[in-house]
Amino acid sequence: MQIISCLRPIWRSFIMIFLLLGLAVFPANAQDSTAAAPAAGGGDVAAGQTLFNNNCASCHAVGDEVVVGPGLKGITQRAPSKDWLYKWIRNSSAVIASGDAYANQIFNKYNKLQMQSFPDLTNGDIDNILAYVESASTAAATPAQAQADAQGGQTASTEASGGLSTQYFTIILVSLLVVLFLVLLVLLMIVSLLTRFLKERKDLSEADREVLEQRTSIGKLLQSGVVKGAVGIIAVLLLGKIGLDSVMNIGVSQGYAPKQPIAYSHKLHAGEYKINCAYCHTSVYKGKNASIPAANICMNCHNVIKNGSPEIKKLYTAIEKNQPIEWVRVHNVPDYAYFNHAQHTNVGGLACQNCHGEIEKMEVVQQVSPLTMGWCIDCHRKTDVNTKGNAYYDKLLAVHASKEPMKVATIGGLECSKCHY
Ligand code: HEC
Ligand code: HEC
Ligand code: HEC
Ligand code: HEC
Ligand code: HEC
Ligand code: HEC
């Protein structure tokens, strides 16, 4: 009759493994997203990450891809010296002007783009940035990072540096938890069946009877201090992780798809009914802004079509009260950068879908592209200038005639002043 006393330690240890695994899932995650990896070269990686994201990420990746400037992977080995790096980062033009060979070589290689100066960064700050770059570039060699960069979506390196490996790790741990949980349930059922069966029997020894009486019920177990503590810790870690994730995503609005005041559908109008984009976005080929249609344009059709529908009634109310419909803006480039639609749609001959995705399939408009500086620059590097039927380019073309196709970068598409005043 020792079966029961054998079973108890077994399922107790199961519960312990279960809780320990639960604890393991969250720290494993949290650690990766804060990049609390051991500091390489003595700098503070976390501080370096903040500095890098605030000052450098708009132009540099931690891997070896080019954003605006070169990828910084292996920079400490590549650069002439640590001292050179301090000087360069604080004032690169001074280093170039001094005639430094390496500085002039990279300056020419990157189309004579002027790197911003950072006179306020101390040597310590720069050490921290370099430490972060080193630790992140080793972690960055995952497929996730490469993919994110290939899409030109190089925003904050933090996003991708957690990468696929953690995702798989989490998935494996969670499935282990689920399996263990099921095993635990089955074991509990066996135990309770056995105890019920044994209680019926009268011929039990004193020792066995005792074990039977003091068997731990699930209720009691859940109330024990250890379990309460563990549940508490898991809850705190979980909340912490959610908070951390949302902080990391501030400023990246890719995927943003707000609910609009009227259930207007591009899928229906631009997709099924094939209404031309410029019928509503009237200035998209002529002006800087594409413009959002006023209710009058909708009324060209809706004074007869579906004019009983509650959604269409909202159009009528807006016109009666002479109040514009408060569409929620989806895409937004900051004021300090200049973007012009006509330049891209009319002069450049680009389709809307290049930047906005398949709008004609969207029930609700969603921001598909990151709209970061790296995204603009990346396209300017890759895209040929549309020279067809454009007299303005004839002279330029003559100069470029036999050379490779003329990219937007060639005509000045990487110059700071074209996008920033
Ligand atoms: C506005 C864009 C821009 C910003 C912001 C920027 N850089 Fe640069 N950086 C460049 C460009 C472009 C180059 C290539 C050299 C050139 O054209 O001047 C470069 C070159 C470098 C190099 C030399 C790379 C090599 O391959 O030798 C280092 C190091 C560097 N930057 C570090 C930084 C750090 C650290 C920060 C943030 C504190 C930063 N940069 C911010 C544009 C930028
Ligand atoms: C019948 C009128 C109509 C047509 C046709 C139309 N749109 Fe729109 N579009 C709207 C309205 C109204 C909004 C604002 C509400 C919304 O975001 O859904 C809008 C919003 C947008 C936005 C988001 C604007 C922002 O806030 O950032 C984009 C991008 C856009 N349209 C692109 C297109 C493209 C591309 C086409 C053609 C394939 C097209 N539209 C055809 C009426 C139209
Ligand atoms: C060129 C004609 C045309 C224009 C312009 C137009 N619509 Fe429509 N709209 C239609 C058609 C056709 C339907 C589908 C009616 C049906 O399902 O029978 C429709 C359906 C709708 C519906 C769904 C109504 C329902 O209850 O099913 C809404 C909402 C709507 N339109 C809003 C707008 C808004 C807002 C604008 C202006 C930005 C606009 N439409 C401009 C032709 C138009
Ligand atoms: C080269 C990329 C690119 C192309 C091509 C493009 N857009 Fe845009 N679009 C943008 C950007 C960037 C913004 C945000 C502009 C801003 O905030 O000033 C935007 C904003 C908009 C808006 C919001 C209102 C506004 O003007 O800011 C509408 C509507 C829109 N686009 C429609 C269109 C339509 C329709 C086409 C095709 C005829 C088109 N876009 C082609 C990049 C593009
Ligand atoms: C899908 C590719 C693409 C994207 C994304 C893109 N552009 Fe362009 N851009 C072009 C093309 C093509 C031209 C050349 C038009 C022409 O033929 O003059 C151009 C030209 C320009 C010019 C004029 C350059 C010159 O030398 O005359 C400016 C300024 C500009 N783009 C700003 C931006 C900004 C700001 C963004 C990001 C918000 C952006 N572009 C995103 C393709 C793109
Ligand atoms: C093709 C257009 C384009 C060119 C060329 C360009 N920028 Fe930008 N830049 C942008 C856009 C768009 C943003 C806003 C990006 C965002 O909101 O993430 C931006 C943002 C910035 C920022 C703010 C970065 C941040 O993360 O807050 C700085 C600083 C900057 N640019 C400097 C430069 C310098 C210096 C150059 C020349 C080497 C340059 N830019 C060339 C389009 C451009």
Side-chain angles (χ1 to χ4, degrees):
M1 272 313 121
Q2 297 301 318
I3 310 168
I4 300 214
S5 20
C6 290
L7 272 178
R8 277 176 50 214
I10 298 181
W11 70 266
R12 265 202 189 144
S13 44
F14 256 107
I15 295 184
M16 278 319 289
I17 298 173
F18 184 65
L19 289 174
L20 280 175
L21 266 178
L23 282 176
V25 172
F26 302 105
N29 250 340
Q31 197 189 27
D32 250 45
S33 38
T34 46
D44 177 346
V45 174
Q49 179 175 24
T50 315
L51 284 168
F52 181 87
N53 286 340
N54 290 343
N55 299 306
C56 324
S58 49
C59 297
H60 290 290
V62 291
D64 41 22
E65 323 76 18
V66 173
V67 180
V68 175
L72 292 185
K73 186 175 179 184
I75 182 61
T76 37
Q77 288 91 298
R78 183 165 75 224
S81 68
K82 202 75 178 264
D83 224 35
W84 182 91
L85 280 171
Y86 294 148
K87 283 194 202 131
W88 171 268
I89 293 167
R90 274 200 284 271
N91 188 349
S92 69
S93 358
V95 183
I96 295 167
S98 77
D100 182 278
Y102 181 77
N104 278 285
Q105 180 212 323
I106 52 170
F107 182 59
N108 289 327
K109 183 167 168 205
Y110 291 91
N111 299 313
K112 298 196 176 343
L113 277 177
Q114 197 80 61
M115 175 168 137
Q116 221 176 316
S117 294
F118 298 93
D120 297 334
L121 291 182
T122 63
N123 288 0
D125 289 338
I126 294 175
D127 285 340
N128 293 345
I129 294 177
L130 295 175
Y132 164 67
V133 167
E134 191 156 321
S135 90
S137 61
T138 31
T142 63
Q145 172 81 28
Q147 201 192 5
D149 294 339
Q151 291 170 346
Q154 174 59 35
T155 45
S157 45
T158 50
E159 261 209 330
S161 65
L164 273 183
S165 51
T166 17
Q167 258 174 34
Y168 282 134
F169 187 54
T170 313
I171 292 172
I172 291 169
L173 278 179
V174 168
S175 15
L176 262 177
L177 274 179
V178 171
V179 170
L180 269 171
F181 184 72
L182 291 177
V183 173
L184 192 68
L185 267 184
V186 172
L187 268 171
L188 278 173
M189 270 156 65
I190 295 176
V191 169
S192 79
L193 265 177
L194 266 176
T195 32
R196 210 181 305 156
F197 165 74
L198 287 174
K199 271 190 176 166
E200 312 271 281
R201 297 183 53 160
K202 307 285 178 227
D203 59 343
L204 286 178
S205 72
E206 197 55 32
D208 278 345
R209 171 80 52 202
E210 204 170 290
V211 172
L212 259 187
E213 297 303 321
Q214 58 151 47
R215 105 195 134 85
T216 331
S217 74
I218 307 179
K220 241 192 252 164
L221 182 87
L222 286 181
Q223 276 165 13
S224 79
V226 180
V227 175
K228 270 189 195 158
V231 168
I233 292 173
I234 292 178
V236 167
L237 286 172
L238 192 64
L239 281 177
K241 172 145 170 51
I242 293 171
L244 206 75
D245 282 353
S246 53
V247 167
M248 292 297 186
N249 280 332
I250 284 177
V252 180
S253 36
Q254 198 168 7
Y256 180 52
K259 189 173 167 358
Q260 300 290 349
I262 298 182
Y264 166 79
S265 159
H266 279 82
K267 188 174 172 222
L268 182 71
H269 292 82
E272 278 173 44
Y273 289 99
K274 300 205 162 33
I275 306 174
N276 194 302
C277 312
Y279 181 90
C280 292
H281 302 294
T282 49
S283 53
V284 72
Y285 292 105
K286 294 176 286 195
K288 177 186 182 300
N289 294 313
S291 81
I292 297 293
N296 299 333
I297 295 185
C298 315
M299 276 310 179
N300 290 345
C301 297
H302 285 291
N303 57 358
V304 280
I305 297 172
K306 279 256 175 177
N307 53 19
S309 141
E311 289 300 314
I312 301 299
K313 283 263 162 62
K314 292 183 193 166
L315 282 172
Y316 281 79
T317 323
I319 288 176
E320 272 161 28
K321 291 191 178 160
N322 200 15
Q323 271 173 349
I325 300 156
E326 292 183 353
W327 302 109
V328 182
R329 189 172 181 111
V330 185
H331 301 77
N332 209 350
V333 166
D335 287 343
Y336 56 80
Y338 174 80
F339 177 83
N340 184 314
H341 268 97
Q343 202 160 44
H344 290 87
T345 55
N346 191 3
V347 184
L350 292 173
C352 319
Q353 286 75 5
N354 278 311
C355 303
H356 294 298
E358 298 183 302
I359 292 270
E360 69 282 1
K361 291 188 182 156
M362 296 180 195
E363 205 67 58
V364 176
V365 177
Q366 182 182 359
Q367 179 178 324
V368 170
S369 305
L371 305 196
T372 53
M373 178 160 138
W375 173 74
C376 311
I377 299 265
D378 192 51
C379 181
H380 286 184
R381 266 192 224 285
K382 289 181 190 148
T383 311
D384 294 341
V385 177
N386 173 30
T387 48
K388 283 203 195 76
N390 192 334
Y392 175 79
Y393 288 122
D394 286 350
K395 254 191 268 164
L396 268 177
L397 257 190
V399 180
H400 267 262
S402 56
K403 298 191 190 151
E404 70 252 30
M406 201 161 68
K407 306 280 179 205
V408 183
T410 330
I411 60 162
L414 302 188
E415 280 167 26
C416 318
S417 58
K418 288 277 166 69
C419 305
H420 303 290
Y421 304 110

